[in-house]
Amino acid sequence: MGEELDEELVRRVQRGDKKAFDALVIKYQHKIAQLINRYVKDHHEAMDVAQETFIKAYRALPGFRGESAFYTWLYRIAINTAKNHLSMRSRRPSDDEIDIEDAEQFEGGTRLRSYETPESHLLTDEIAAVIQDALQNLPEELRSAITLREFDGLSYDEIAQVMGCPVGTVRSRIFRAREAIDKRLEPLLR
Amino acid sequence: MNTEHASEKLSALLDDALDAKDGLTVLEDLRGDRELRAKFHRYQAVRSVLRSEGGALPDIDFSARVRAAIDQEPVVLSPRVVRHEFRERVATFALAASMAALAIMVVRSVNHYSPDKASEMLASVNLSTPAVHASMEPDLREYLNMHNESAYLSGSQGLMPSVRLVSGNQGR
């Protein structure tokens, strides 16, 4: 379903609708920012590179023919932009080349922590503690649903099969789990 | 849109579980609603932590900055899509025209070599003219007649001109 939405948005942008591109930015800004953060340690620099990525993508969209998924294409632009940025600043890219296939299987975890600035590391620790606590205090069915989604990466259909309930119930449980966690998180991220 | 309803769709958007129609609606809401964008930002933060993705997240005004930069860009259109469509139309027309021409040729060929057509042509040849009639011996005429008729039925072109000269059996 996500690809169907992206295809429609891309078609609209290619017909001159800039608002549709805005929607694509909103949808993918977090993923792209985190991807670039793996290469560019400084947060502000990473956001500049992320912005540059989206501008490059906008300019290149007339030539996008949909031979790959939009996000795959955007992903490549982000990696190239990040590496170019590092080259221009005379920093060597990481010795282990992160190809797109490897990047998609990238676990993150302990390796990523070495890229975090002290500021963001602190924020992540505080947020992580609140989230973990909120997660543990969720009703069982909500905790199971969001755990299956976020830790195990299962789709709604798969979760429905595991939990023996309709897809609509899965969707509702995941939403209510996020809402419960969000109530604890909101004061920290105002 | 009702806030809870919008938030539920936001949650589904995060999981790529919205169809295009609903997805477009929610994204349009996000563009215009800062509070909703802030919530989407927090949902993303929760995901990042639960998946141990770490790293810093963009602030909620990131998309507005990108929008401002894009507003300075010229509107993009996809001319390659237009040209591609034109090429497709031309190619389709050419193919259709070729097929039509081929069909006409085939029909003409079939008519040309059909027994009915052959019979007509045979009938149309006036061999009762004294010059032709007198130039042939009866046995030879009979022989050639039988040969030509069988040749026509098998579709042999090479004997076509010969009909006019040698076929002498109009009465058959």
Side-chain angles (χ1 to χ4, degrees):
Chain A
M1 281 202 215
E3 277 195 33
E4 186 188 301
L5 173 57
D6 289 354
E7 283 166 14
E8 177 57 29
L9 287 169
V10 167
R11 269 196 293 272
R12 291 185 180 202
V13 178
Q14 288 176 331
R15 289 198 296 262
D17 184 355
K18 284 188 177 182
K19 290 193 299 185
F21 190 77
D22 210 19
L24 287 167
V25 173
I26 290 171
K27 193 176 178 217
Y28 288 118
Q29 60 185 352
H30 296 86
K31 281 186 176 178
I32 293 300
Q34 285 182 320
L35 169 63
I36 288 168
N37 217 192
R38 295 176 195 169
Y39 293 84
V40 182
K41 298 178 189 181
D42 181 80
H43 172 65
H44 294 294
E45 264 186 60
M47 294 307 108
D48 286 344
V49 174
Q51 181 171 318
E52 191 183 339
T53 295
F54 282 110
I55 293 170
K56 282 186 175 178
Y58 178 77
R59 289 174 184 158
L61 257 179
F64 177 71
R65 294 179 190 172
E67 286 156 357
S68 64
F70 170 77
Y71 180 61
T72 305
W73 178 79
L74 182 65
Y75 199 106
R76 288 187 193 276
I77 294 176
I79 289 177
N80 290 336
T81 305
K83 286 185 174 177
N84 288 343
H85 173 81
L86 293 177
S87 296
M88 281 172 58
R89 290 188 54 113
S90 301
R91 292 183 197 179
R92 292 174 58 95
S94 173
D95 283 339
D96 38 345
E97 284 279 297
I98 300 181
D99 194 60
I100 191 163
E101 289 81 18
D102 294 336
E104 284 176 352
Q105 292 162 28
F106 200 92
E107 286 295 327
T110 47
R111 183 169 171 208
L112 273 181
R113 291 206 181 89
S114 67
Y115 286 94
E116 292 173 3
T117 63
E119 241 178 10
S120 61
H121 186 78
L122 187 63
L123 186 61
T124 302
D125 277 350
E126 191 176 0
I127 288 176
V130 167
I131 289 170
Q132 290 297 341
D133 188 63
L135 187 69
Q136 292 311 311
N137 285 299
L138 286 174
E140 172 65 34
E141 69 275 10
L142 302 192
R143 187 169 66 246
S144 297
I146 196 163
T147 299
L148 288 169
R149 178 73 199 116
E150 300 295 11
F151 287 113
D152 300 311
L154 300 190
S155 67
Y156 282 15
D157 285 332
E158 289 165 337
I159 295 171
Q161 285 180 27
V162 168
M163 297 185 77
C165 63
V167 170
T169 303
V170 170
R171 175 172 157 154
S172 170
R173 286 178 181 174
I174 290 173
F175 162 62
R176 285 186 284 138
R178 286 183 172 135
E179 279 290 281
I181 296 172
D182 186 53
K183 276 188 172 52
R184 299 276 305 272
L185 199 58
E186 192 182 353
L188 296 179
L189 288 178
R190 277 193 190 280
Chain B
M1 185 188 281
N2 171 273
T3 305
E4 184 169 319
H5 189 55
S7 298
E8 187 177 354
K9 289 201 168 178
L10 209 61
S11 174
L13 176 71
L14 187 62
D15 297 327
D16 275 337
L18 281 185
D19 59 30
K21 182 169 175 263
D22 281 343
L24 290 169
T25 306
V26 168
L27 286 168
E28 184 58 34
D29 289 342
L30 277 167
R31 285 187 67 250
D33 188 335
R34 199 172 191 276
E35 284 303 313
L36 203 62
R37 276 204 308 283
K39 174 165 279 196
F40 193 55
H41 178 73
R42 293 192 299 273
Y43 281 2
Q44 297 272 12
V46 170
R47 162 166 289 181
S48 295
V49 169
L50 290 182
R51 292 184 178 185
S52 301
E53 285 168 353
L57 296 176
D59 59 78
I60 62 169
D61 292 321
F62 175 84
S63 60
R65 285 201 298 279
V66 173
R67 189 186 318 142
I70 296 294
D71 281 345
Q72 306 300 317
E73 297 282 320
V75 170
V76 299
L77 292 172
S78 186
R80 292 186 194 189
V81 171
V82 173
R83 281 201 295 274
H84 187 58
E85 283 176 355
F86 177 72
R87 274 204 301 271
E88 267 188 359
R89 280 203 292 268
V90 167
T92 303
F93 178 77
L95 183 63
S98 302
M99 294 301 291
L102 185 62
I104 290 168
M105 283 169 57
V106 167
V107 168
R108 275 183 161 177
S109 277
V110 168
N111 284 343
H112 206 53
Y113 296 115
S114 72
D116 291 338
K117 184 69 176 179
S119 300
E120 283 174 22
M121 293 196 68
L122 286 171
S124 71
V125 174
N126 185 357
L127 294 171
S128 61
T129 58
V132 175
H133 196 80
S135 69
M136 292 183 194
E137 294 185 25
D139 289 343
L140 179 61
R141 270 205 305 276
E142 181 68 20
Y143 170 75
L144 289 174
N145 225 18
M146 287 170 62
H147 182 65
N148 279 326
E149 282 187 6
S150 69
Y152 270 117
L153 288 172
S154 68
S156 172
Q157 184 183 4
L159 291 171
M160 274 288 294
S162 305
V163 170
R164 297 184 187 278
L165 295 174
V166 302
S167 175
N169 202 346
Q170 280 185 303
R172 280 171 68 170

